[in-house]
């Protein structure tokens, strides 16, 4: 890794598993290095994986196996922009179906507690629509969803109330 600044994510012993999962799901994602502890430490032993250097969609990260003291919160999340419903579904389902959990408005958590926003570009475009009434309809539609349904967002922006909303 060449960056002097990277995101450090705290895991309870599963940094390598998480990094390998991310690499299996997201493009431009790979594990660069696994570092084993040279000595015993409060939450582990010599030889245990202490850090994992990895990249998630071009963002350099280091996973620290720091133990259970500091769990993940929604205060940090990865926001992944998608272009199609198929891409949105693929990322969302990969996270949720691998022991994760759904939340509202395009948010979900992976099984390690890390939050993800799977955000279609159509939603971002809806929210910045210069027609503020259309933007409001887009946001109101989004507020009823878990995984974002692009067709429903686009229908709401267009003023078509007949779109279906996926919960």
């Amino acid at each position: 890794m060449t960056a002097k600044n990277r995101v450090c994510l705290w895991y309870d012993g599963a940094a390598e598993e998480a990094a390998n999962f991310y690499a299996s799901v997201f493009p431009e994602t790979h594990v660069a290095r696994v570092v084993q502890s040279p000595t015993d430490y409060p939450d582990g032993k010599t030889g245990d994986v202490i850090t994992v250097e990895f990249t998630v969609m071009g963002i350099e990260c280091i996973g620290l196996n720091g133990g259970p003291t500091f769990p993940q919160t929604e205060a940090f999340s990865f926001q992944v922009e998608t272009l199609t419903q198929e891409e949105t579904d693929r990322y969302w389902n990969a996270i949720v179906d691998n022991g994760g959990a759904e939340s509202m408005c395009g948010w979900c958590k992976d099984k390690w507690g890390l939050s993800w926003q799977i955000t279609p570009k159509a939603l971002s475009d809806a929210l910045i629509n210069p027609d503020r009434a259309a933007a409001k309809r887009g946001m109101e539609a989004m507020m009823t969803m878990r995984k974002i349904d692009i067709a429903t967002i686009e229908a709401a922006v267009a003023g078509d109330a007949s779109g279906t909303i996926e919960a």
Side-chain angles (χ1 to χ4, degrees), residues 6-143:
R6 54 189 160 173
V7 176
C8 182
L9 301 168
W10 187 287
Y11 293 90
D12 184 8
E16 186 174 13
E17 178 187 5
N20 285 324
F21 171 75
Y22 306 148
S24 76
V25 172
F26 298 104
E28 298 179 54
T29 303
H30 66 275
V31 176
R33 182 181 311 163
V34 176
V35 178
Q36 295 174 315
S37 179
T39 188
D40 291 351
Y41 59 103
D43 287 309
K45 296 180 170 67
T46 301
D48 286 354
V49 173
I50 192 161
T51 61
V52 179
E53 297 172 10
F54 59 101
T55 301
V56 176
M57 299 184 84
I59 297 173
E60 292 186 6
C61 301
I62 185 164
L64 172 65
N65 281 330
T69 306
F70 299 110
Q72 298 287 340
T73 73
E74 288 81 359
F76 175 87
S77 64
F78 281 113
Q79 184 181 48
V80 178
E81 181 181 77
T82 58
L83 298 178
T84 66
Q85 191 64 53
E86 183 274 330
E87 184 182 27
T88 302
D89 294 348
R90 184 174 67 244
Y91 296 150
W92 177 276
N93 294 339
I95 291 167
V96 171
D97 293 347
N98 188 51
E102 296 182 353
S103 190
M104 295 301 296
C105 306
W107 288 66
C108 58
K109 279 187 181 183
D110 64 29
K111 75 178 193 176
W112 305 281
L114 188 66
S115 291
W116 296 81
Q117 298 175 59
I118 310 301
T119 308
K121 186 174 184 315
L123 173 60
S124 300
D125 290 347
L127 298 178
I128 62 170
N129 190 313
D131 177 346
R132 299 316 292 159
K136 179 178 186 255
R137 290 190 304 272
M139 182 160 177
E140 288 172 345
M142 182 262 314
M143 296 293 290

